Amino acid sequence: TLSKDVDKILEIVPLIREAIGEQRSIDTMLKSSLPEGSKDSTSFYTFGDYDDIPPEASLGHTYMLDLLASNVIVRAEAEGFNATRGDGFALASTVVLLCNLLEAGDSGDGQTKKKSRLGLYITAHLYIASPMSIPSPPNTNEGEEAFLASLGMKQINKKTKASASSAETNEPPEYETFPQYLARTEGLIGIMANMMSSQPDSDASTSNGVLLGGKIGAMNWLTRFLNGLPKAPVKPLPLTTAPVLVAFLTGSGCMLANAFPEKFQKIFSLIEKDIMKRLDVEPLGKPSEVRLSKLLSRGFHGFQSQLPEGSIPELYNDGNPIGCAWPPPSSPSGVSASIEALGTKRQQKPSTSSQQQNP
């Protein structure tokens, strides 16, 4: 869903969860049709009037989770997707709320199951598409091809197994252009920041079981990213520094300024007084440097008081009021409580009127 209507999002999440639960039940039934005592994963199934059902037919649940995760990444990488304009918040909120229900062990078929792996699949697809999202430093010791691969640049003439033995195998690798890479990376970092900032879990004491670590994961990620940059006086910094910070801070800066005001104020000062002075300002890097400078010009209190463009107030930072320290007093009428209710009361629409805010 790309709807920014919070009621629509809260309505569709349980429907997706039910579909996942139904597929898991089908897989269980298919697996139960194996001969008693057989654990051969290559055995064919006989189910009802059907014979010779291939074993992969019982992996529909896994395939569905993987398909959902891969589609999130495909959307974030799509041409025209603009994370800094807020294009990813509706999708991020939907995915986060779905993971929240599935991680609770509620598969949607009326039974408590083992926890879902959807969050792991999303994380894996994200890391494969963009090593910057780990964040992982580039490999500068094994040649140009290894360096570009470690950045996450797409090889557009990558050989398939079928063509690997052809005479074309000596063709040099061809990669996407650097502007294409930067735009795609911004989209991926942006959707990651959106998911981290749209968590319904209001417990800041732990990041266990929360997609990408939630609020704590966002602060840890930003700290690791900055710690991985060359120390002063080395300049210029890697060309990816500014666009990655623009994408991440645009999506999560407001949440971080409210959730961790003291820590974020120190990080803001570091970026403003050190990182900005060492950015790459050559023709390829200058546009991102200008955008980061403009973003920082709102100041720390600007981050604290201004919601990101395109964000959903009822779901961003758990719907907490902006401009104040986090966590605020707990409220049974909050969106977190509503999401919990979705696990057992689909027909009862949650009330989010008390969470309305003005950007």
Side-chain angles (χ1 to χ4, degrees), residues 199-265:
Q199 299 290 346
D201 184 359
S202 59
D203 181 9
S205 64
T206 176
S207 60
N208 293 332
V210 180
L211 180 59
L212 295 167
K215 300 177 178 69
I216 291 179
M219 177 55 72
N220 289 342
W221 186 93
L222 182 56
T223 301
R224 287 197 303 269
F225 178 78
L226 294 174
N227 285 341
L229 295 175
K231 307 302 179 187
V234 176
K235 62 181 302 187
L237 292 172
L239 191 58
T240 54
T241 304
V244 166
L245 285 175
V246 167
F248 191 78
L249 292 177
T250 298
S252 68
C254 176
M255 178 276 291
L256 291 172
N258 284 277
F260 310 100
E262 292 184 7
K263 290 182 179 179
F264 185 72
Q265 194 161 25

Side-chain angles (χ1 to χ4, degrees), residues 1 9 22 28 47 60 65 76-77 102 113 116 119 136 141 176 217 235 255 258 273 320:
T1 177
I9 292 175
E22 289 172 4
T28 301
F47 188 75
L65 295 183
E77 289 184 308
L102 295 176
K113 304 287 187 179
S116 168
S136 176
N141 301 320
E176 62 185 334
K235 62 181 302 187
M255 178 276 291
N258 284 277
K273 296 178 180 179
N320 294 321

Side-chain angles (χ1 to χ4, degrees), residues 72 87 243 296:
V72 172
D87 288 356
L296 296 177

Side-chain angles (χ1 to χ4, degrees), residues 130-332:
S130 176
M132 297 296 297
S133 64
I134 297 177
S136 176
N139 182 350
T140 58
N141 301 320
E142 299 181 21
E144 181 181 10
E145 189 171 343
F147 171 71
L148 295 177
S150 68
L151 284 177
M153 292 194 73
K154 279 189 174 181
Q155 185 178 337
I156 59 179
N157 64 341
K158 192 173 183 178
K159 300 296 184 296
T160 63
K161 290 183 178 179
S163 64
S165 59
S166 69
E168 300 178 355
T169 53
N170 292 327
E171 181 183 353
E174 182 180 350
Y175 293 89
E176 62 185 334
T177 66
F178 215 79
Q180 288 174 328
Y181 161 74
L182 290 179
R184 189 171 57 83
T185 299
E186 277 197 32
L188 293 167
I189 298 299
I191 195 74
M192 178 184 73
N194 294 168
M195 289 188 286
M196 288 173 165
S197 303
S198 301
Q199 299 290 346
D201 184 359
S202 59
D203 181 9
S205 64
T206 176
S207 60
N208 293 332
V210 180
L211 180 59
L212 295 167
K215 300 177 178 69
I216 291 179
M219 177 55 72
N220 289 342
W221 186 93
L222 182 56
T223 301
R224 287 197 303 269
F225 178 78
L226 294 174
N227 285 341
L229 295 175
K231 307 302 179 187
V234 176
K235 62 181 302 187
L237 292 172
L239 191 58
T240 54
T241 304
V244 166
L245 285 175
V246 167
F248 191 78
L249 292 177
T250 298
S252 68
C254 176
M255 178 276 291
L256 291 172
N258 284 277
F260 310 100
E262 292 184 7
K263 290 182 179 179
F264 185 72
Q265 194 161 25
K266 292 178 181 178
I267 287 178
F268 179 88
S269 179
L270 172 68
I271 296 173
E272 186 179 44
K273 296 178 180 179
D274 175 31
I275 303 300
M276 281 299 303
K277 296 178 181 179
R278 298 190 290 129
L279 292 175
D280 190 318
V281 291
E282 293 298 317
L284 196 56
K286 185 63 178 179
S288 295
E289 186 266 348
V290 171
R291 292 167 61 218
L292 181 57
S293 177
K294 182 178 179 181
L295 180 64
L296 296 177
S297 67
R298 66 179 61 173
F300 169 77
H301 293 292
F303 273 103
Q304 223 181 21
S305 60
Q306 183 177 343
L307 282 168
E309 180 181 355
S311 62
I312 303 172
E314 298 93 338
L315 299 176
Y316 187 83
N317 192 27
D318 200 16
N320 294 321
I322 62 173
C324 62
W326 183 89
S330 59
S331 170

Side-chain angles (χ1 to χ4, degrees), residues 3 25 103 126 161 184:
S3 172
S25 297
E103 285 296 325
L126 179 64
K161 290 183 178 179
R184 189 171 57 83

